[in-house]
Every structure is written in structure tokens, then in C-alpha cells.
Amino acid sequence: MQPHLLIALQGGGAYGSYQAGMLEEYFAQNGQPYDGGYGVSVGALNVAQLFGTASGTHDASIQEQATNAKRLAELWRSEIMGDDSIYKPYRSTGIVTEGARRMLGKGIFGDLAVATLRKQASVYDTKPLRALLERNLKGKKWPRAVEVGAVNLELGRFFEIPLANPTHGLTGIDAVMASSAIPIVFPPIEGFVDGGVTDVTPLRSVFQHFRDVRDERDARNQPPLPQELHVYRASSFPKPKQGPFDRVVKVLERTLEIFVDNTDREDYERAAFINELAGKMHSTQYSPDLKVKEEFISWHKKYAVIDTYVIGPSKSEMGKFSDSARSFSPKAIREGLRLGQQRMADFLKNKDDYLLEVVLFNDDVPELPR
């Protein structure tokens, strides 16, 4: 019996090419289509392309995922030809902004100064990204179980936005843009920014979907299905970083890395803990006490063991295809696609090595080649 299979795609900017390579190889090897998908940031772009069809039905998405995965890889290869395919600095206009640009240069600090003087909400303009999405997603529809994550600045909360019926007055393309809106770097979309601020990988949404499926099947007196999740990472768990942290920028960069890493790990560790606890409960005998028995049944319906596999670059691979999540160079993208294909080929041969619990225990995915 095939499992009910979901995919969750992590954020990571330009590192998303690695995910596209994994998806291309997965379907080239006749991988089982996914029943639903969840994405954050660049994972939102990839999941929207993977599941988008003209009709938006579940059956259409099942039939077209292999073709869509090919198109996604081709999008990365042929339509992203540099940073300016995704974002561009705001133009310096007038004496003050021209002076700031000349003094600070064309890098991030000059771009920040110009954006600040122009009273922009971000360092960069993302009109090129919107044009890219319009070319590839306009007219697309999505099945119910496809969501992207974004954080509402006003409420300070993470929201799962269904692409089939986007909330908060957003369109599907708006939702993908919002999920990708790195705070300060990219402009907010209707008050929403990158979901990676609180959920680098949207696992909570995924596990709620699994629970809903179990409840629906139970209500119809259908037997339970095995449930499986593939987590596609765009980057590795970070390496420890040596100092000295003797400047403000170095301290800030390292602090942000630690914050993102801890946020990411918490979701994985919570999922692994629930799997362990649910597994032990499966082997526990029912108590003769009716109240205890009812509590057990209630808990058992809420939680279940989900076979979760974590697939992505190892620590040693990071830097081999890109030095920065903001660097969309064609060379880096091609290498990311190639390494992603190689990783997926290994996963399909050595699946058990990618179990969530194994990856967490080793603090890394297996090294390649092997």
C-alpha cells in the first residue's frame, strides 16, 4: 500500500536550485507523486511550480508533477541568469543618494544607504521576481493541500496560506512573494514577510494535515494509510564558526545564524520526539481503567508515527555551489542542480540513512560520493 506522501520545502534563497535538482531526479526515477506540499521562502516558489496546474485538482497535480519538476529545473537553468533576475537595487536619484552610492559603493551597504534615503521598505526591489512568477504561475491553480508560510508583521504570527484559496486578500503569486520577502532585504507584501522568520521548514502545518487525513478516513470507516514525509532542505545544518567576533557585523551575522538554526532544529526535534513517544505508545497495552483507556485513544488519534526523511546538502557541500543565499549566479545554480540530483539518487538507494532520527543523531545527512 502506497503511503499518503507529503513534501515540505525549506527556505534558502539561491540554494533553492538544490531542491529543484532533487525534484528533477526524484521524478526521473519514477518517484511517487506527492499528495500535498508545503513551502517557505524559495521553497514556496518551488512548491507552487511543482503543484500548479490549469485545473487545480488533486488528480491533475498527481499526473503533472513529473512534468512540472522538469519545468522547475529548466526555470532555474534558463530564466535565472543572475541576481538581477530576482532583485535589483533601487536607483540612486539626486545629489544625496548619488553621493551615498559613490562613497559606499555598489555592495550591500551602498544599496542600504540608497534605500534608506529613498525611504523604501527594503534594500532591494523585487519586481524581477514578480515578473518571473507571472511568467510561470499566471493562470495556475492548486489543490487544497498546497500551502506556503509567511509572517504577518502586524500580528507577529506565522500563517499557512493555501494557494487554492489565499487568505488576507492575497493572490497565489502574492502569497509566494510574501513567503519570500526576506525582512529588510525584500519589501513586505501586504504586511507579510518571509515565513522563515519563525518557521524555516513548515513542519507544524504538515503534521496537522496528516492528522486531518487520519480523521477523515476514520470518519468514513476507511482503514488508516501509512504516512510519509519528505523534507527537502536547501541548506545544511550550519557548522560551528570560529571567531574572533570582534566587529558589529560579525556578531550580528553569527547571531542571526544561531537564531535561524535554533528555530529550524526545534521543529525537527519536536517531530522526532513525537515520533518516539507515539512509537512507544503503540507498544503500550491498553489499561483496564476506562478513563485511562479513553485518554489513550484520544491521544493516539491526535498523534501518530510519521516516517520522516530529511534530504539536502551536507555540511561539506555548502559553499560548493554558492557562497550566499543571495547569489543567483548561473554557474552556482547549475552546480546546485547537479548536486541536488546526486543527493536524490543517493536517497533513493539508501533511504533509511535519511530518516529524521538518523540525520539528527549524526547532525548531518550522509556525505557524498559513497
Side-chain angles (χ1 to χ4, degrees):
M1 181 185 295
Q2 285 193 324
H4 187 83
L5 182 60
L6 299 184
I7 184 174
L9 293 105
Q10 180 197 43
Y15 300 143
S17 64
Y18 195 101
Q19 291 177 341
M22 289 195 289
L23 282 166
E24 185 177 36
E25 181 67 17
Y26 177 77
F27 286 102
Q29 298 294 332
N30 298 313
Q32 178 188 334
Y34 294 101
D35 293 294
Y38 296 75
V40 161
S41 196
V42 72
L45 182 156
N46 288 340
V47 85
Q49 177 64 35
L50 179 64
F51 285 90
T53 65
S55 66
T57 65
H58 177 265
D59 288 347
S61 83
I62 293 292
Q63 292 167 7
E64 296 180 31
Q65 277 176 50
T67 301
N68 284 353
K70 265 188 184 178
R71 287 177 181 161
L72 175 63
E74 190 56 31
L75 180 159
W76 279 92
R77 285 191 186 96
S78 63
E79 294 192 50
I80 301 178
M81 304 307 295
D83 297 347
D84 56 2
S85 297
I86 303 297
Y87 62 88
K88 60 183 180 181
Y90 289 101
R91 293 176 58 190
S92 50
T93 54
I95 296 174
V96 176
T97 53
E98 286 285 359
R101 180 80 76 194
R102 281 196 299 272
M103 183 170 63
L104 296 172
K106 293 184 178 180
I108 181 70
F109 295 110
D111 296 338
L112 175 60
V114 170
T116 301
L117 291 168
R118 287 189 51 168
K119 298 182 180 179
Q120 299 290 348
S122 65
V123 177
Y124 296 110
D125 182 354
T126 51
K127 285 178 183 174
L129 174 59
R130 183 173 285 276
L132 176 76
L133 296 178
E134 290 280 357
R135 286 196 303 273
N136 290 279
L137 299 180
K138 190 172 183 179
K140 298 288 187 183
K141 298 178 182 177
W142 292 269
R144 180 169 59 94
V146 179
E147 296 183 357
V148 301
V151 171
N152 183 278
L153 286 175
E154 184 176 337
L155 300 175
R157 284 179 50 204
F158 179 90
F159 285 89
E160 300 89 2
I161 303 172
L163 292 184
N165 186 25
T167 53
H168 302 85
L170 300 171
T171 65
I173 289 175
D174 286 340
V176 174
M177 289 286 296
S179 185
S180 307
I182 306 166
I184 301 175
V185 179
F186 293 165
I189 305 296
E190 302 298 332
F192 283 89
V193 295
D194 194 322
V197 170
T198 62
D199 285 63
V200 181
T201 310
L203 295 184
R204 282 180 293 183
S205 308
V206 174
F207 286 110
Q208 180 60 50
H209 173 89
F210 279 130
R211 182 182 171 185
D212 292 342
V213 169
R214 291 195 299 272
D215 289 346
E216 287 173 10
R217 292 186 68 83
D218 185 56
R220 295 173 183 170
N221 294 316
Q222 295 174 322
L225 281 173
Q227 295 182 318
E228 185 174 317
L229 170 64
H230 294 174
V231 179
Y232 283 44
R233 292 182 62 82
S235 59
S236 69
F237 294 109
K239 296 179 182 178
K241 184 173 280 188
Q242 292 183 335
F245 303 106
D246 54 354
R247 297 187 181 183
V248 171
V249 172
K250 289 184 177 180
V251 173
L252 179 60
E253 285 178 347
R254 184 56 180 157
T255 302
L256 289 173
E257 283 179 355
I258 293 169
F259 168 75
V260 171
D261 182 39
N262 286 343
T263 301
D264 195 21
R265 286 178 189 274
E266 282 176 6
D267 282 340
Y268 288 112
E269 287 168 356
R270 188 184 301 115
F273 172 73
I274 291 173
N275 268 355
E276 181 183 7
L277 200 56
K280 288 178 178 177
M281 290 292 283
H282 277 299
S283 62
T284 302
Q285 295 294 319
Y286 280 177
S287 168
D289 184 295
L290 183 60
K291 186 175 181 181
V292 173
K293 184 176 178 179
E294 287 174 349
E295 285 291 325
F296 171 82
I297 292 171
S298 174
W299 193 94
H300 182 66
K301 285 183 177 179
K302 185 175 182 181
Y303 298 106
V305 177
I306 307 295
D307 291 328
T308 302
Y309 299 89
V310 180
I311 321 144
S314 64
K315 287 181 173 64
S316 67
E317 282 179 284
M318 295 309 297
K320 287 184 178 178
F321 59 102
S322 183
D323 292 324
S324 168
R326 291 189 294 108
S327 178
F328 291 86
S329 79
K331 181 179 178 182
I333 287 170
R334 286 194 300 272
E335 187 64 5
L337 287 162
R338 186 188 71 80
L339 290 171
Q341 291 171 329
Q342 184 177 314
R343 174 63 61 187
M344 179 52 66
D346 187 74
F347 166 70
L348 294 172
K349 290 178 183 175
N350 305 287
K351 198 171 176 182
D352 286 349
D353 292 350
Y354 291 84
L355 274 168
L356 168 65
E357 293 78 6
V358 175
V359 171
L360 279 182
F361 179 79
N362 293 326
D363 194 35
D364 207 359
V365 297
E367 288 292 347
L368 296 179
R370 56 177 183 158

